[in-house]
Amino acid sequence: MKLFTCTHCGQVLYFENSRCEKCQYLLGFEAQQLQLCPLVAQPDGRTYRIHNEPASGPYTYCQNHQHHVCNWLVPTDSATPFCMACDLNRTIPDLSQPGFLQRWHDIEAAKHRLVYSLLCLRLPVVSKRVYPDEGLQFDFKADESPEQRVMTGHDNGLITINIAEADAIEREQARQSMHELYRTLLGHFRHEVGHYYWDRLIDNSPNLKEFRQIFGDDRQDYAEALKKHYAQGPPPDWRQHFISAYATSHPW
């Protein structure tokens, strides 16, 4: 992940920082600039402007800042109290449950990194709240019981993440049981959002032919392809052509 620099004192900053460790300025991520910025509090005690940019803003912190899961800024004239990343949420975990706040914190850290990378790639990032048919949205849910498990997946722009993936022990157990080299929260987000952008940018578009030339025929039966993958494993030379063994199973 990119390191940032405090424009007030020159200190190296990390993406999730909310305060500069050197000059103690509050920090906020400005999504249009893709920058982590030192902030100057305004006389109203509620809003901020960016240091050395008196014409900027004014901004408030995203409403989820109160839970220490977001450091992104929201213009005061925004239609929503949530930042661009948090406005994509439809369902968050029940924070009254023990341990769920920490799991949500870790999930949001991964999701914010995902959204940052999407913005850097100049991909469209729009919420289903605004564009119900074309937008993106997230459900972060917990299993209701051993018999009613939440499946991580994508369905027409709605990405569901089982919050158990934010538990390092459970994630490692799943990794071993599925014979994966690695398994990360950010990897889950990238995988599922890939399905979303497939629908938005590739399927039924002029790009489809080129996609198939590079990645293979997406018309293969997905369930059968996965079944074959787990039964037979990847091709012997998969490391020369794919980022992971799992990626060999199907073009999706």
Side-chain angles (χ1 to χ4, degrees), residues 111-167:
K111 189 199 72 183
H112 279 67
R113 290 188 173 209
L114 170 79
V115 175
Y116 171 80
S117 66
L118 298 177
L119 294 174
C120 288
L121 292 170
R122 299 183 180 180
L123 289 169
V125 180
V126 295
S127 172
K128 276 187 174 293
R129 181 185 63 81
V130 182
Y131 297 99
D133 295 331
E134 299 179 354
L136 178 64
Q137 209 162 46
F138 294 96
D139 279 349
F140 304 135
K141 296 182 175 181
D143 294 333
E144 295 185 11
S145 70
E147 294 75 32
Q148 294 179 292
R149 297 185 62 83
V150 172
M151 297 299 294
T152 292
H154 167 264
D155 181 18
N156 192 33
L158 177 62
I159 292 175
T160 301
I161 301 289
N162 188 324
I163 67 169
E165 292 292 343
D167 183 285

Side-chain angles (χ1 to χ4, degrees), residues 15-16 41 56-57 71 80 113 116 142 155 159 175 180 250:
F15 184 58
E16 289 83 12
S56 64
N71 64 347
T80 170
R113 290 188 173 209
Y116 171 80
D155 181 18
I159 292 175
R175 185 192 70 80
E180 296 172 336
H250 193 277

Side-chain angles (χ1 to χ4, degrees), residues 10-193:
Q11 174 75 2
V12 173
L13 304 174
Y14 294 95
F15 184 58
E16 289 83 12
N17 286 159
S18 290
R19 184 183 293 273
C20 177
E21 294 293 329
K22 183 177 180 181
C23 67
Q24 297 300 306
Y25 265 56
L26 292 175
L27 303 170
F29 184 79
E30 212 290 323
Q32 298 301 317
Q33 299 183 29
L34 294 176
Q35 290 295 328
L36 189 58
C37 305
L39 304 176
V40 177
Q42 298 304 289
D44 61 14
R46 187 182 64 86
T47 61
Y48 303 88
R49 295 190 188 275
I50 296 172
H51 170 68
N52 272 351
E53 296 184 23
S56 64
Y59 302 95
T60 61
Y61 275 114
C62 173
Q63 187 162 301
N64 283 336
H65 182 70
Q66 64 182 314
H67 300 294
H68 306 289
V69 300
C70 180
N71 64 347
W72 288 31
L73 299 173
V74 180
T76 54
D77 60 358
S78 173
T80 170
F82 296 103
C83 71
M84 178 185 292
C86 291
D87 193 42
L88 300 175
N89 293 350
R90 187 179 76 164
T91 305
I92 66 169
D94 179 358
L95 301 184
S96 68
Q97 296 298 312
F100 279 20
L101 176 58
Q102 182 60 51
R103 292 190 183 191
W104 184 40
H105 175 278
D106 294 346
I107 286 170
E108 287 294 342
K111 189 199 72 183
H112 279 67
R113 290 188 173 209
L114 170 79
V115 175
Y116 171 80
S117 66
L118 298 177
L119 294 174
C120 288
L121 292 170
R122 299 183 180 180
L123 289 169
V125 180
V126 295
S127 172
K128 276 187 174 293
R129 181 185 63 81
V130 182
Y131 297 99
D133 295 331
E134 299 179 354
L136 178 64
Q137 209 162 46
F138 294 96
D139 279 349
F140 304 135
K141 296 182 175 181
D143 294 333
E144 295 185 11
S145 70
E147 294 75 32
Q148 294 179 292
R149 297 185 62 83
V150 172
M151 297 299 294
T152 292
H154 167 264
D155 181 18
N156 192 33
L158 177 62
I159 292 175
T160 301
I161 301 289
N162 188 324
I163 67 169
E165 292 292 343
D167 183 285
I169 294 176
E170 292 197 38
R171 189 170 62 249
E172 177 61 15
Q173 290 174 339
R175 185 192 70 80
Q176 292 188 24
S177 69
M178 299 183 73
H179 308 289
E180 296 172 336
L181 289 178
Y182 52 84
R183 186 182 182 95
T184 67
L185 272 174
L186 183 54
H188 278 304
F189 276 107
R190 287 171 172 166
H191 176 99
E192 301 304 339
V193 86

Side-chain angles (χ1 to χ4, degrees), residues 176-249:
Q176 292 188 24
S177 69
M178 299 183 73
H179 308 289
E180 296 172 336
L181 289 178
Y182 52 84
R183 186 182 182 95
T184 67
L185 272 174
L186 183 54
H188 278 304
F189 276 107
R190 287 171 172 166
H191 176 99
E192 301 304 339
V193 86
H195 290 301
Y196 168 70
Y197 284 110
W198 157 269
D199 290 342
R200 288 288 312 276
L201 305 178
I202 304 298
D203 195 22
N204 297 317
S205 80
N207 301 316
L208 185 56
K209 181 178 180 180
E210 184 179 3
F211 172 91
R212 287 172 176 162
Q213 290 174 343
I214 297 173
F215 296 103
D217 192 344
D218 57 283
R219 292 167 293 189
Q220 300 174 54
D221 185 275
Y222 189 63
E224 286 299 317
L226 290 182
K227 183 178 178 181
K228 179 181 177 182
H229 169 74
Y230 287 119
Q232 301 179 12
D237 62 345
W238 69 266
R239 289 179 176 83
Q240 300 177 32
H241 307 286
F242 296 89
I243 194 171
S244 69
Y246 182 77
T248 70
S249 62

